[in-house]
Amino acid sequence: MTELARLSDRERRRIITEFVDDALDGVHAPAYRSGLLAAVPDLPDDPTPEQIGAWIELAALVRAPELRAALRRLAEYSARTAPAPERPPAAEPDADGEERPAAAQEQAAVRVAELMRVRGEAALAAGIAPDSPAAEPVVAELVAAWIPTQTGTADPPAEDGPQARARLLEQLETAAEPAVERYWRLLCAVTGRPAPPAWGPAGTWTAAALRAHPGPYQLDRSAFEATDPDRVLHAYAQVVRDVGALVAAVSPEDLALPTPCAGWSVRQLLDHMVWENLMAVSIAEGAPRDDLAADHLGDDHRAAFEDSARAALAAFTGSGMLHRTYGPYEAPGAMLVQQVVVELLAHGWDLARAMGAPTGLAPEVAEETLVAARRIYGAAHRGRLVRPGAAGPARCERHGPAGGLPRPRSGLTRRAGPARTARKRAG
């Protein structure tokens, strides 16, 4: 170790150069090779113990087969995606058609990488599952920012689409090399430069979101049509009447019973139903909630449901929600209320099954609610239309009718319950 620390700059450069030459042997990736060699570390004349330690670890790391294999994979990717030889690499056009020097192109790529880290970490902090509708706007933003950085590559994507998203996913998967990340961090430590922020979890989230959303979302606005505000309000009152009677019959001992929704107890089911009402109120008030995982029942589940239904009905009638639009897609408020009707009726059926009670809930509006469910959920989930910070949807498999409301697997898609907010963290 002492000998390694006392090596001259020339000797240290020779170690790194031989390492790069060996790792990239036979791979024609001159730009990638030049970038690696340009980063050869030079220890200062009076290095700190931390810098000496980083160099000693770096000297050992460059002998590791896994690092050499990882760098070779990255070089092969660089060679495969490099522009054709006849294309001048010195400058590329930006979004306005102006020439962008190679250095500016590199800076743009760094900014996009930082944007991906920031957006990925924000999504994780907000509890947005990568396969949820709420992840799609994040993916769209990242792809739009990334596309201009690809103008110097072979067959660059011109717009967001399956080709662009597949290319970005391939880049992220190729770059996900822990040994390479450690290599660059040690280089920074040796030279005293700030280390780049670690974005492993954010990168994992972004890659998972790209897999879940391989193409841009195309909104089907047919779901926004044929929603009668007065009829929706009537349906809500009918459903709350029958579901509320079921909730009133639930004893404290019943709260632990299982339900047809796998993994949900009666208490979790009721909590979710209360949250649906409260969420609708918050949307009407212009401040959508983000407390899906909180306890919304307290010590009195009956009062919690009654209070939430009363507040929702007041919001529907007093705020003008039924006649307004919400979110970037201008979703009709009446359609959002219709979704609450669907949720409560479907979960009311779950509750009836769990309690061994009759499932003939709100028969006068059940059939039209099924029609609305198929129309609405075939187009978009509310989290996609209104609440970009919402948690992702979960699917609750259903069997049999509920008051004339059949349950095809694809019929009713909704958010995860209180115990499911962190589902499917892809890795």
Side-chain angles (χ1 to χ4, degrees), residues 337-357:
V337 176
Q338 181 74 76
Q339 287 183 299
V340 180
V341 175
V342 171
E343 295 281 347
L344 294 184
L345 184 54
H347 285 311
W349 176 81
D350 294 331
L351 180 59
R353 283 288 300 274
M355 299 290 295

Side-chain angles (χ1 to χ4, degrees), residues 83 87-92 99-105:
R87 292 186 61 183
E92 299 295 340
E99 291 295 304
R100 174 187 292 168
Q105 186 88 346

